[in-house]
Amino acid sequence: MTERQSTTTAGDTADVVILGAGPAGLLLGNLLQRGGVDCVVLERGTREHIQTRARAGFLAAHTVRILQRHGLADGLNRDGQDHSTCEFRSDDGRFRLDYSRLGQGERHTVYPQQALVSDLLAHYTDAGGRIRFTTDALDVRDTGTDRPTVTVRTADGRPGHWRARYVAGCDGRHGAARRSLPAHTVRHHLDHGVSWLGLLADAPPSLDAVGYGVHSRGFAGHMARTSTVTRYYLQCARDTRTDDWPDDRIWAELALRLRADAYGPLHQGRIGQRGVVHLESDVIEPLRHGSLFLAGDAASLISPSAAKGANLAVLEAELLAEALLDDLAHGDPAGLDTYSARCLDHIWRAQEFSHWMIGLLHGSPGTDGEARFRDSLRRSRISALRDSRAQQDWFAEHYVGVGALRAA
């Protein structure tokens, strides 16, 4: 594998400068390069960092179809695992939903995001794609013109800039794209008041389903990643420090909330990664500002409760690639003009389902009347999901992403 790295930092140009080498940025780079568009990816991290960063792992059916359509699914076709069942455990017992038999009959593919990133990176660089690692984009200027400029700083501290026709901001909520938005940009933000301790255990999955433990002490989640690694979540206090949770305490709390005494023990192993996640949602409107476009987490942040983040990123990258190719190769700007509205429709549908899931899985702190009311609502939601076929079909369609993320 070759990797083209520039030896200069000033006066560099490309038709499209892509900020960020996550799923959105790398998919966009692959599609533009194949379409003959001169592009470059600027990534603040190292190659090793982006290829080992453990993030999402559930790919919706529409995401798999996009990757297969463009010949980028060799890794997930070989190593991805079909997944179609979730199990809910609460004070009222447990029940399972095989969502591949409900709704539109779709399922997930379990494939770690770092593996997907590695696949996309290999396709891009093997075909000669330009990428600059350890290059920190500082800001995007002149977005109201047809020659925007990205100011950068390399790992050795040298300043530089890239000029482009368009800039695609795929660099997350704290990246240069968001920092460069005009003051009149609308930022919708919601803090759900819930925090999770996210855990990656060197242990095989303990059940053949996504496990949702709804407990008075807080939510617990079980999500397979590979045959030897499992992702767990524990609802925790907002001020939690990871060193407050040694392995023994983690396994004891997981066993309690997932009711291992009633439904079987958990496979235990070393906790290799732990971090506190605050469940927040935000959306930027619009997603286009002149020659600057947003995709992935730069466009919207969604809570991990419904596994929509990476799937939204892939959908947005494909829509943006098609629109840029139409404009740059054929002089047709219609796709760029409608890009923001099309993506925001998908984003808000996904946000609504994510918000519903948060209400389904989490109780309210305290014992006052409002907390008891919310907990009763949660219990009613779980009961309806267990007993109502109509509710199950609705859940399946949105959970897999067909309803919330139907391709435009």
Side-chain angles (χ1 to χ4, degrees):
M1 180 186 301
T2 61
E3 182 180 321
R4 295 168 56 186
Q5 294 282 359
S6 175
T7 59
T8 64
T9 58
D12 291 312
T13 64
D15 289 332
V16 180
V17 171
I18 302 167
L19 309 182
L26 288 173
L27 177 59
L28 179 60
N30 272 284
L31 300 186
L32 292 180
Q33 184 183 17
R34 292 182 179 189
V37 170
D38 178 34
C39 60
V40 65
V41 178
L42 308 181
E43 166 57 42
R44 68 172 69 94
T46 64
R47 175 191 286 271
E48 180 183 10
H49 173 70
I50 69 167
Q51 291 186 289
T52 58
R53 178 175 51 190
R55 300 286 295 277
F58 270 53
L59 301 183
H62 86 281
T63 301
V64 174
R65 286 193 288 269
I66 288 173
L67 295 168
Q68 289 174 338
R69 180 160 63 241
H70 297 292
L72 299 170
D74 45 349
L76 72 88
N77 285 338
R78 182 184 63 248
D79 299 325
Q81 300 294 318
D82 285 347
H83 201 288
S84 62
T85 306
C86 52
E87 179 172 304
F88 294 87
R89 300 177 177 182
S90 70
D91 290 338
D92 296 320
R94 67 171 174 171
F95 67 95
R96 293 166 67 92
L97 291 180
D98 181 350
Y99 49 84
S100 70
R101 299 179 181 273
L102 300 165
Q104 300 292 323
E106 301 274 25
R107 61 183 63 208
H108 287 109
T109 298
V110 179
Y111 192 60
Q113 180 170 312
Q114 62 268 32
L116 175 61
V117 165
S118 295
D119 294 345
L120 293 174
L121 179 61
H123 278 283
Y124 182 65
T125 55
D126 283 353
R130 293 193 290 168
I131 185 166
R132 306 291 184 266
F133 291 108
T134 60
T135 298
D136 191 11
L138 304 178
D139 60 25
V140 185
R141 301 177 182 177
D142 303 321
T143 57
T145 74
D146 61 1
R147 297 301 293 172
T149 299
V150 180
T151 304
V152 302
R153 182 176 58 234
T154 60
D156 59 5
R158 289 185 299 161
H161 58 267
W162 282 82
R163 294 186 178 90
R165 175 62 187 90
Y166 294 113
V167 176
C170 308
D171 52 344
R173 66 184 301 203
H174 300 299
R178 277 210 182 188
R179 293 197 302 270
S180 304
L181 295 175
H184 64 266
T185 303
V186 177
R187 291 172 168 86
H188 304 279
H189 180 265
L190 178 62
D191 185 335
H192 298 280
V194 175
S195 297
W196 286 357
L197 184 63
L199 309 161
L200 207 59
D202 293 331
S206 297
L207 61 157
D208 61 343
V210 174
Y212 294 112
V214 181
H215 196 277
S216 60
R217 290 177 64 88
F219 164 74
H222 164 286
M223 292 86 177
R225 282 297 178 261
T226 70
S227 61
T228 59
V229 176
T230 305
R231 168 72 78 182
Y232 285 99
Y233 290 108
L234 279 170
Q235 186 177 353
C236 61
R238 178 56 61 99
D239 59 354
T240 291
R241 299 182 305 170
T242 55
D243 54 9
D244 292 336
W245 287 83
D247 287 14
D248 288 348
R249 182 186 180 191
I250 287 170
W251 288 115
E253 197 67 21
L254 284 171
L256 177 66
R257 298 187 195 183
L258 289 168
R259 295 171 169 83
D261 58 340
Y263 306 122
L266 303 177
H267 299 306
Q268 297 188 20
R270 183 182 69 90
I271 306 296
Q273 182 187 97
R274 68 196 76 196
V276 177
V277 179
H278 304 307
L279 271 58
E280 299 176 83
S281 299
D282 66 22
V283 180
I284 296 295
E285 291 197 57
L287 303 182
R288 177 183 186 179
H289 296 271
S291 52
L292 172 63
F293 294 82
L294 305 181
D297 287 352
S300 67
L301 179 72
I302 193 165
S303 80
S305 60
K308 292 285 189 276
N311 294 295
L312 277 170
V314 168
L315 173 63
E316 292 157 7
E318 186 188 45
L319 291 176
L320 183 54
E322 291 173 350
L324 287 168
L325 286 168
D326 284 345
D327 180 77
L328 292 170
H330 307 293
D332 181 3
L336 294 178
D337 293 338
T338 60
Y339 168 76
S340 179
R342 294 177 72 189
C343 289
L344 285 168
D345 181 57
H346 297 301
I347 287 169
W348 282 115
R349 289 170 183 259
Q351 290 282 3
E352 192 280 329
F353 181 70
S354 174
H355 187 76
W356 182 88
M357 282 289 291
I358 290 171
L360 181 78
L361 300 174
H362 302 91
S364 298
T367 58
D368 59 13
E370 181 177 347
R372 292 194 299 271
F373 187 89
R374 291 182 181 276
D375 283 342
S376 295
L377 283 179
R378 179 181 63 168
R379 188 169 183 172
S380 178
R381 286 173 177 165
I382 293 175
S383 177
L385 189 58
R386 180 188 63 225
D387 299 332
S388 168
R389 175 57 189 266
Q391 187 72 7
Q392 292 169 2
D393 285 336
W394 179 88
F395 171 84
E397 183 174 351
H398 289 75
Y399 187 64
V400 183
V402 178
L405 301 172
R406 183 176 290 113

